[in-house]
Amino acid sequence: MQFHGDDKNGSGLGSSVRTPLLLHACCGPCSIEPVELLRREGFEPTICWTNPNIQPKEEHDRRLATLRAWAADVAHVNVIVAGDNRAAWEAGVAPHGFDRAARCCACYALRLAEACRAARELGFTYISTTLAVSPYQLFETCGDVLAKTAAAYGLTPVWRDFQIGRAS
């Protein structure tokens, strides 16, 4: 796991000011609203990057570089890079082909399990994801996967609808 920032829990302000939370992120733009909203709620996010689904590798690396630049220069939030097991993605997610529900559920499970593993290893209690920003994600499915995965790792999920104006 690689750290990018000053401290492990990402607070930079001391633990008595905000509650540390590990925030799985797929990219910089999707992190803007969640970081702001979570800070307003009293959390201090540390962003966790684990996205073996982003292909090709050049796109993956470009998104990670953009996320790191935004996190350092604008949001002042730490970024950790957790595992990106592309072989596990190819074996467990890709075979679902065009079955969107099965494919998304498997992809969420793989990515959020790695984020939860990192959160537990680093001593976080709370975990969330920026996947709730995108209108292309299966919102309820993602929330269910986060809740189940967080519970399996002894973590508390922080599930929010980060998308402004989401149609019900």
Side-chain angles (χ1 to χ4, degrees):
M1 209 166 331
Q2 302 170 352
F3 283 89
H4 182 80
D6 298 329
D7 58 1
K8 282 188 179 182
N9 74 8
S11 70
L13 300 171
S15 59
S16 65
V17 175
R18 291 193 178 128
T19 302
L21 172 142
L22 195 68
L23 178 64
H24 166 263
C26 58
C27 62
C30 285
S31 302
I32 295 169
E33 193 69 22
V35 167
E36 176 63 28
L37 292 172
L38 289 166
R39 282 179 168 161
R40 278 191 236 146
E41 287 186 31
F43 291 103
E44 184 53 41
T46 292
I47 293 176
C48 178
W49 173 268
T50 173
N51 296 294
N53 59 305
I54 300 173
Q55 312 232 359
K57 181 81 166 92
E58 295 76 22
E59 175 66 12
H60 174 278
D61 294 347
R62 185 179 66 78
R63 286 192 193 191
L64 177 56
T66 299
L67 173 66
R68 283 181 159 162
W70 170 80
D73 300 341
V74 178
H76 309 290
V77 62
N78 291 336
V79 174
I80 64 164
V81 177
D84 261 340
N85 190 337
R86 290 177 179 277
W89 189 89
E90 289 291 337
V93 179
H96 292 290
F98 293 107
D99 181 345
R100 182 174 182 231
R103 184 181 177 104
C104 289
C105 188
C107 190
Y108 300 152
L110 179 71
R111 294 155 72 190
L112 295 175
E114 176 58 14
C116 285
R117 184 202 62 76
R120 186 174 67 188
E121 180 180 307
L122 295 169
F124 286 87
T125 302
Y126 298 94
I127 186 150
S128 191
T129 180
T130 66
L131 290 172
V133 170
S134 174
Y136 302 106
Q137 300 302 328
L138 302 177
F139 183 79
E140 297 299 328
T141 301
C142 188
D144 291 345
V145 171
L146 178 64
K148 289 175 188 167
T149 308
Y153 282 86
L155 302 169
T156 302
V158 176
W159 182 243
R160 303 289 186 270
D161 186 346
F162 294 125
Q163 186 186 82
I164 298 170
R166 182 184 302 273
S168 356

